[in-house]
Amino acid sequence: MSWTCEQTEARLSDYLDGLLQPPEQSAFNLHVNTCERCAPLVAGVAHALGGLYALEQVEAPAQLENAILTATLGAPSWRNLRRWLKSLQSPRFVYSMASVAATIVVILTASGFSFTKPKLADLHPATIYHHADRQAHLYYARSAKFVSDLRVVYEIQTRLNENEQNPATREQTVPQDSPGKQPGRTDKTNPSTPKQQNRADEIGRNLRVLAAQFPALSGSIGERRMP
Amino acid sequence: MEQDAQLVQQCLQGDGSAWEELVRRHTRRIFNICYRFTGNRTESEDLSQDVFLRVYRTLGSYRSAHGGFATWMTSVTRNLLIDHYRRTKRDRITDSLDDKMPVVENKESAGRRPDEQALLGELSGQVQSALTRLSPELREAVILRDLQQLEYSEIQQVLAVPEGTVKSRINRGRIELARILQHMGVRPS
C-alpha cells in the first residue's frame, strides 16, 4: 500500500532518522519513487540535513570566558583575591596560623611584653633579652623550689608510712639530732639537707597534732596511704 | 554529567573556581546555539554572556533530579533567545529570501581538499543563512536536534512541549529549511 503526499511529508524525518518500520519503509519508498512532488522534497531535505551536519562548531571568542567571569565573579584581580581568601579557609592554613600565633604569644609573654599596656620599647631586642633572661631565672627558681617541696612531701609520706607500720618505734623515728652527727640525715638511707629536715620535722609534728585532734582524718589519711 | 551537578553544589557553597570550571565547560556550546540561532557573532557573544549571568543568578533553582545541568542551561538559553527574537523583531529587516547574500563562514578544516573546503564552506554559509530565516520555533527545534544532537526527551524538556510537538517541529523545520535553500538556488547535486 502506498502512502499519500501528506503521510510521506509527515513521516519524512522518521524516514531520514531510520525510525520507520519495514512495512512503513516500503510504503514510503513506493510513494516517493512514483511521486513527482515528494521525490525532490526528500532529496532536498536530505541535502539540507547534510548541510546541517556539515556545520562545524564555531569557536567562541577568546575573551568571552573572561567577560562572563568578570560579569559574574568580578574583575580578575578581585577573583584572584577571592581565590586567595578562599584558600585561607583551608583547615591546614588555619591550624598553621593558630600555631604561629600561639608561638608568638608565648614568646612575647616570656619576654615580658604586656598585652594590656603594650609599649614599643618592649619589643626592642635588648629589652626582650633582658626580660627573657629574667623570666628564665624566675622559672628556674620556681622549678627548683617545687622540686624541693616535692622532696619534703615525699619525706613526710615516708615517715608517716613507717610510723603506721611500726607504732612501737614511733618515738624513735621522730628525728632528733642527726645521728652520727650527719646533718640532714633522717634515717640511714635517705640523706637530706638540714633545712629540709627541719621543715619535714615541723610538718610531721603538725600532722601528728592534727591526727590526734581529728581521728577520722587520721584514718582517711591512713586509708589513702595503704597501697 | 554528574560532575556538573557537583560543580553546581560547589558554586552554591561559594566556590568561585567551580563556577569558572562550569563556564569553561559550557561556553562553546552555548555560544554555538546562540550563533546558529542569530547568525551573528557579536549578538551571540552578548547573548552567551546574558545566559551565563542568568544561570549564575538562578543557580539555586536548578534541581539535578529534574534533568541534566546542560539541558537546564539549554532551556535558559532558549528562553533568552526567544526573548531576544521578540525584542528585536521590530528592528529586524525582513529581507526577502533573494536579496540577502548568504554569509560564507571563514573556517579551516584539516584533511579536506581546498575545493571541498570551499564547497563545504559555501554550503555551511548558505545553511546558516537559511537557518536564520526559519521561524524561531522551528529554528530552535532544528538547532537542538540536528546541531546540538539532543534526544527528543531532552528537547521536550527544553521547549516544554509534548514529544509529538517536538517531532512535528523538527520535521517541519527540516522541510522548511530545504525549501528556503531551494529558493536560494542551493539544490542537491
Side-chain angles (χ1 to χ4, degrees):
Chain A
M1 193 187 89
S2 178
W3 282 357
T4 62
C5 291
E6 288 72 30
Q7 276 179 307
T8 307
E9 196 173 311
R11 302 298 301 279
L12 185 50
S13 281
D14 285 342
Y15 164 77
L16 292 168
D17 290 341
L19 298 174
L20 292 180
Q21 297 297 318
E24 294 174 325
Q25 182 80 39
S26 304
F28 185 92
N29 288 338
L30 191 63
H31 176 80
V32 170
N33 289 336
T34 54
C35 180
E36 287 182 1
R37 179 180 166 271
C38 290
L41 177 70
V42 174
V45 172
H47 180 64
L49 209 54
L52 281 172
Y53 291 153
L55 285 179
E56 291 178 359
Q57 289 246 317
V58 286
E59 283 300 326
Q63 75 280 3
L64 181 58
E65 272 182 23
N66 263 331
I68 292 167
L69 291 174
T70 303
T72 50
L73 297 179
S77 55
W78 176 238
R79 288 207 301 275
N80 290 337
L81 180 67
R82 280 180 66 170
R83 195 179 295 130
W84 183 75
L85 287 173
K86 184 81 184 169
S87 70
L88 297 189
Q89 290 175 9
S90 69
R92 203 178 187 181
F93 184 82
V94 171
Y95 289 140
S96 307
M97 286 312 293
S99 61
V100 167
T103 308
I104 290 171
V105 167
V106 167
I107 290 171
L108 286 175
T109 307
S111 65
F113 181 81
S114 169
F115 287 97
T116 52
K117 292 178 182 176
K119 282 185 289 184
L120 197 60
D122 288 346
L123 294 173
H124 194 273
T127 314
I128 289 175
Y129 175 77
H130 174 73
H131 282 301
D133 187 51
R134 185 168 162 271
Q135 291 287 337
H137 280 88
L138 267 173
Y139 281 120
Y140 177 77
R142 281 179 193 162
S143 306
K145 185 175 178 298
F146 180 71
V147 170
S148 172
D149 288 348
L150 279 180
R151 290 184 66 178
V152 170
V153 170
Y154 177 72
E155 292 276 346
I156 294 165
Q157 279 188 332
T158 310
R159 296 276 304 279
L160 287 173
N161 280 343
E162 284 173 1
N163 286 346
E164 289 280 333
Q165 286 163 5
N166 303 310
T169 58
R170 187 173 294 172
E171 286 306 316
Q172 293 172 6
T173 58
V174 172
Q176 296 164 3
D177 292 337
S178 301
K181 295 183 179 177
Q182 292 183 357
R185 185 174 288 273
T186 55
D187 54 31
K188 292 177 181 175
T189 55
N190 295 325
S192 60
T193 63
K195 193 177 175 183
Q196 286 172 345
Q197 183 62 57
N198 292 338
R199 287 184 66 188
D201 291 346
E202 188 184 339
I203 292 169
R205 276 195 296 278
N206 290 339
L207 282 173
R208 276 198 298 281
V209 170
L210 278 170
Q213 288 178 355
F214 304 102
L217 183 64
S218 172
S220 68
I221 291 170
E223 281 167 16
R224 277 209 299 275
R225 267 189 242 112
M226 292 301 283
Chain B
M1 283 289 171
E2 278 180 19
Q3 206 177 344
D4 277 348
Q6 205 174 343
L7 287 169
V8 170
Q9 283 305 313
Q10 289 174 355
C11 282
L12 292 172
Q13 288 162 9
D15 187 350
S17 58
W19 172 248
E20 285 179 31
E21 178 61 22
L22 277 176
V23 171
R24 258 191 294 278
R25 289 166 74 105
H26 294 281
T27 299
R28 193 177 180 213
R29 192 175 63 81
I30 297 300
F31 178 77
N32 268 271
I33 295 176
C34 295
Y35 177 67
R36 293 306 174 197
F37 193 88
T38 61
N40 183 303
R41 284 187 77 88
T42 314
E43 272 182 44
S44 307
E45 205 175 325
D46 292 344
L47 282 165
S48 304
Q49 204 169 319
D50 289 347
V51 168
F52 278 97
L53 209 58
R54 186 177 284 190
V55 165
Y56 186 72
R57 285 175 184 157
T58 57
L59 209 53
S61 66
Y62 167 66
R63 299 283 175 275
S64 56
H66 296 166
F69 178 73
T71 308
W72 181 72
M73 209 170 172
T74 308
S75 184
V76 173
T77 310
R78 181 257 175 187
N79 291 339
L80 266 172
L81 286 171
I82 295 296
D83 286 349
H84 172 76
Y85 177 82
R86 287 176 186 152
R87 208 170 46 241
T88 56
K89 198 173 182 178
R90 283 184 186 175
D91 307 332
R92 217 169 18 250
I93 303 164
T94 49
D95 299 22
S96 69
L97 287 173
D98 298 323
D99 62 0
K100 192 173 179 183
M101 291 298 289
V103 181
V104 178
E105 285 178 34
N106 182 21
K107 58 187 175 188
E108 298 290 330
S109 287
R112 289 201 183 108
R113 293 204 316 268
D115 54 337
E116 285 177 338
Q117 178 63 43
L119 277 172
L120 267 176
E122 191 178 1
L123 179 63
S124 295
Q126 288 161 336
V127 170
Q128 174 64 59
S129 180
L131 206 52
T132 53
R133 292 170 193 219
L134 277 178
S135 69
E137 66 173 20
L138 300 185
R139 197 189 315 171
E140 64 187 8
V142 169
I143 289 173
L144 294 178
R145 177 66 187 166
D146 295 327
L147 296 182
Q148 293 297 314
Q149 317 288 329
L150 262 59
E151 298 294 332
Y152 286 122
S153 58
E154 289 173 316
I155 299 171
Q156 181 188 345
Q157 215 173 335
V158 171
L159 302 183
V161 292
E163 192 171 322
T165 310
V166 170
K167 284 184 173 178
S168 164
R169 283 186 189 177
I170 291 168
N171 193 46
R172 279 163 50 211
R174 286 170 173 176
I175 292 170
E176 191 59 32
L177 190 72
R179 283 182 181 143
I180 294 170
L181 283 170
Q182 198 178 357
H183 273 98
M184 289 168 68
V186 182
R187 287 186 173 80
S189 52

